[in-house]
Amino acid sequence: MKETDREFIFASMSRICQSLISEAEVLCELIDDGDFDSVSRHVSSLENEADNIKHDVQYYLQDNKLFRDPEAMMLYEVLMSIENCTDLVEDISDTFTRLNITELKDNIISSFMSVGTGAVKMAELINSIHHMNKIDTPVRDLIELDNYSVEYKRIYDLNMKKLYVDGNDPLDVMRWTSVYDVFKELFTGYETVAECCGKYCILGD
């Protein structure tokens, strides 16, 4: 793989990270009583932008015959794991509208904030990997991104326990189980990005 190929893929990953950050910012509008339908539409438009970037990379890899290049495939795996996170943020916003949830529980606010801080950490990680040398790898950045999944799983267990102990309305329990689950999927997605980046750092050279 040529350096121009590598630069194109990293630039594309950075653009998808920015789409993810923008999605997270729009999602956080719900904290301040934002319009759920409007937020969902805006997040979907940002996810479509990320999809288009992914498709451009797929065409680039095909046109430049890079689908058999080992490094290109590892970077493509990283890119796909990042783009999957943009899908999962869209799933979060769609869940609120699909289940007609119009009011947030207080214990979900920190999860909203972590979506954004995790997205920023992901962008920083991609930048660190892009500019890493053969000796020093961004281990701290990898661990910090991975920790978002670890921390949310702890919060998830607490929220689910409270929901099933205190919940009186079966529909409310069902709705919020879906919400907590889709947030968990996103933070697991962040963990997957960290794993893919770690594999590239170890095997990329």
Side-chain angles (χ1 to χ4, degrees):
M1 185 170 68
K2 297 181 293 186
E3 184 62 26
T4 52
D5 301 326
R6 189 176 294 106
E7 289 297 317
F8 175 80
I9 297 172
F10 269 110
S12 299
M13 285 194 285
S14 294
R15 290 172 61 202
I16 294 176
C17 283
Q18 289 305 312
S19 293
L20 180 62
I21 291 170
S22 296
E23 281 186 338
E25 290 172 348
V26 173
L27 193 66
C28 282
E29 292 177 9
L30 296 181
I31 297 174
D32 299 318
D33 300 320
D35 181 278
F36 282 72
D37 288 334
S38 176
V39 165
S40 182
R41 288 193 298 271
H42 194 173
V43 169
S44 292
S45 71
L46 291 166
E47 198 285 319
N48 286 337
E49 292 176 9
D51 259 350
N52 289 334
I53 297 168
K54 177 188 69 176
H55 295 153
D56 288 342
V57 172
Q58 290 169 333
Y59 285 127
Y60 184 92
L61 293 174
Q62 177 181 325
D63 292 345
N64 291 277
K65 298 178 173 57
L66 291 171
F67 276 114
R68 293 183 180 273
D69 183 282
E71 183 183 2
M73 287 299 92
M74 280 191 287
L75 287 176
Y76 179 63
E77 185 179 1
V78 173
L79 181 142
M80 291 294 289
S81 67
I82 298 170
E83 199 278 330
N84 180 59
C85 291
T86 68
D87 291 333
L88 292 171
V89 174
E90 182 182 36
D91 286 346
I92 291 172
S93 66
D94 286 348
T95 296
F96 286 104
T97 55
R98 185 183 303 121
L99 301 180
N100 196 32
I101 297 173
T102 57
E103 185 175 348
L104 302 182
K105 291 183 181 293
D106 291 340
N107 61 8
I108 202 68
I109 303 303
S110 62
S111 299
F112 273 88
M113 303 304 294
S114 292
V115 171
T117 53
V120 171
K121 175 53 62 180
M122 187 184 298
E124 292 173 351
L125 173 60
I126 296 305
N127 185 62
S128 296
I129 292 173
H130 184 193
H131 297 102
M132 72 179 183
N133 56 45
K134 293 183 179 181
I135 298 174
D136 298 319
T137 56
V139 173
R140 184 182 300 277
D141 289 331
L142 287 166
I143 293 172
E144 287 181 357
L145 181 60
D146 183 69
N147 280 341
Y148 282 92
S149 177
V150 174
E151 177 62 16
Y152 184 75
K153 287 173 183 176
R154 184 187 67 80
I155 295 172
Y156 174 85
D157 288 339
L158 293 173
N159 287 343
M160 290 294 285
K161 182 177 181 180
K162 179 176 175 57
L163 180 65
Y164 279 82
V165 169
D166 298 341
N168 297 315
D169 181 350
L171 286 178
D172 188 63
V173 171
M174 291 171 62
R175 287 189 181 104
W176 282 94
T177 296
S178 296
V179 170
Y180 295 147
D181 282 347
V182 74
F183 270 98
K184 184 180 180 181
E185 288 179 26
L186 173 63
F187 289 109
T188 299
Y190 283 6
E191 182 181 20
T192 300
V193 174
E195 290 171 353
C196 292
C197 288
K199 184 166 65 175
Y200 175 76
C201 291
I202 294 170
L203 302 176
D205 292 331

